[in-house]
Amino acid sequence: PATISSEDPIAAGLGRVGTQIVGIAGQQQERNDALEAAEADAPLTTGLAEARRRFAQDGDWQTFEPRFRAEATRLQAEAASRIRTEGLRRRWMPRSDVAVSGALNDVLGRGRHLQAESEYDRLDGVLGSLTTTFLRETNEDARATTLRNIDDTLAVALRSGIVSPERIRELRQRHLHGPVEGDALSRPDRWATFLELREGDARASAPSSGQVSDIGLANIRQVLERGG
């Protein structure tokens, strides 16, 4: 029987036509995939942006993560449903995971900031209560105990990372150095006590900053304990 030679022009032509058809079909599939992916990307991007804006106005930082994850999961599922091809949907999901992860990190970052502010306010309140106790107390032993409590509270807050060293300095000035200095200067021998403070600065080999140094604070405590 007759056979078609590999050099047969008809067979070669049919082969080229088949290749062109496959190429055209592949190009069409690529266009469809690109469009479906774009149709999925758009609502996910828009939805995540809207969610970030809402959480930026939300103060319930303790529930940020579960609430945002639930919403992001819903947005991702709705966007994925726009992709009809299973293979394309599988390829699209990791890319959408990156978008969700980035949005979640933004929200959690704000949550960490709100948490830090909340913890700072709580610590400030505790120290404020101790400061009030110190200023109202007349018994010198009780006053010294209160000052130690303030100092210990600040040390624990620093070690545990509740607040930064910079904010610890701010709290120390407000609730320890400031009240001690103010109390000392309210006494009849206020100028002698004030000089004790400055002597402490001098012995520390540092110029006076207008604040109570650690050595100056110790000197003032001694003056207070002597009863002025």
Side-chain angles (χ1 to χ4, degrees):
T3 59
I4 299 177
S5 167
S6 60
E7 301 299 326
D8 191 310
I10 296 177
L14 290 174
R16 286 193 297 272
V17 170
T19 300
Q20 290 172 355
I21 291 174
V22 170
I24 292 172
Q27 292 172 3
Q28 184 62 50
Q29 185 61 53
E30 287 180 3
R31 288 196 293 270
N32 288 339
D33 287 353
L35 287 171
E36 287 190 9
E39 288 170 345
D41 285 338
L44 179 62
T45 300
T46 301
L48 291 174
E50 291 176 354
R52 282 198 302 268
R53 283 193 293 272
R54 277 188 284 102
F55 275 83
Q57 304 301 318
D58 192 324
D60 187 13
W61 56 269
Q62 293 168 306
T63 64
F64 271 11
E65 183 166 6
R67 288 192 292 126
F68 189 86
R69 284 190 183 278
E71 184 159 357
T73 297
R74 176 184 61 80
L75 290 169
Q76 192 176 33
E78 291 177 355
S81 69
R82 296 171 176 266
I83 300 177
R84 294 180 292 275
T85 306
E86 180 63 28
L88 176 60
R89 191 180 305 115
R90 284 197 302 270
R91 295 195 302 274
W92 177 84
M93 286 301 292
R95 186 171 71 185
S96 69
D97 287 339
V98 172
V100 168
S101 178
L104 176 62
N105 286 339
D106 288 345
V107 170
L108 294 183
R110 180 170 183 274
R112 287 189 293 272
H113 174 74
L114 292 178
Q115 179 181 3
E117 291 301 309
S118 173
E119 292 173 345
Y120 177 88
D121 290 344
R122 290 172 60 189
L123 179 62
D124 192 32
V126 168
L127 292 169
S129 177
L130 289 171
T131 299
T132 300
T133 299
F134 166 76
L135 293 174
R136 291 177 177 175
E137 183 59 67
T138 57
N139 180 278
E140 295 301 335
D141 289 338
R143 287 161 67 84
T145 298
T146 303
L147 286 179
R148 284 194 296 272
N149 287 342
I150 293 173
D151 208 15
D152 290 345
T153 300
L154 288 165
V156 169
L158 181 60
R159 285 198 306 271
S160 61
I162 293 176
V163 292
S164 66
E166 292 76 17
R167 303 198 83 177
I168 283 289
R169 285 193 287 272
E170 174 187 324
L171 290 169
R172 185 179 295 278
Q173 174 60 29
R174 184 187 308 155
H175 296 294
L176 188 61
H177 293 172
V180 167
E181 183 180 49
D183 180 73
L185 294 178
S186 71
R187 290 171 172 258
D189 64 338
R190 58 186 177 277
W191 297 117
T193 306
F194 193 71
L195 287 174
E196 287 277 344
L197 182 159
R198 295 308 171 222
E199 285 178 12
D201 286 336
R203 284 203 298 273
S205 302
S208 172
S209 64
Q211 298 178 348
V212 185
S213 70
D214 289 338
I215 295 177
L217 180 58
N219 288 341
I220 288 177
R221 285 175 176 167
Q222 291 173 7
V223 171
L224 296 179
E225 290 168 1
R226 291 199 299 266

